[in-house]
Amino acid sequence: NPLKNAGIDILADGINANKTLTKINFAITSFGCESDTVVFEKLFKAIADHPSLRSINLNGVYLGNNGGNLLLTMLDKFKYLNN
């Protein structure tokens, strides 16, 4: 089942709260094509600003147009990721 807006929002809050997280595996996760830019921006900002997160797996993830376009514009902000 897709996470949709509410699930992505909760996920972003969880990433912000967990300061020791080092990797996230979203492989084959569906975020839901109707998810809006606001929740994707919150999620990607949580990932970009996370102090210990070093790896994120998006293999096979369907982000839809909103998520995909936003991810492309935010890649340079993922300053801590190395994988």
Side-chain angles (χ1 to χ4, degrees):
N1 293 333
L3 291 174
K4 300 186 181 176
N5 289 338
I8 296 169
D9 190 54
I10 291 168
L11 183 60
D13 289 341
I15 292 169
N16 281 324
N18 185 339
K19 299 302 179 194
T20 60
L21 188 65
T22 59
K23 62 178 146 176
I24 299 175
N25 185 352
F26 288 131
I28 313 172
T29 298
S30 174
F31 289 102
C33 60
E34 82 292 336
S35 297
D36 63 40
T37 304
V38 173
V39 294
F40 277 123
E41 191 169 348
K42 182 177 178 180
L43 175 64
F44 295 149
K45 182 166 178 13
I47 292 169
D49 294 343
H50 199 281
S52 64
L53 187 61
R54 298 295 180 262
S55 176
I56 182 169
N57 181 355
L58 295 169
N59 189 29
V61 172
Y62 178 72
L63 297 171
N65 290 335
N66 291 336
N69 289 332
L70 184 61
L71 178 62
L72 284 174
T73 62
M74 292 191 71
L75 281 176
D76 64 330
K77 293 175 178 44
F78 294 166
K79 52 190 170 235
Y80 299 112
L81 292 181
N82 58 22
N83 187 353

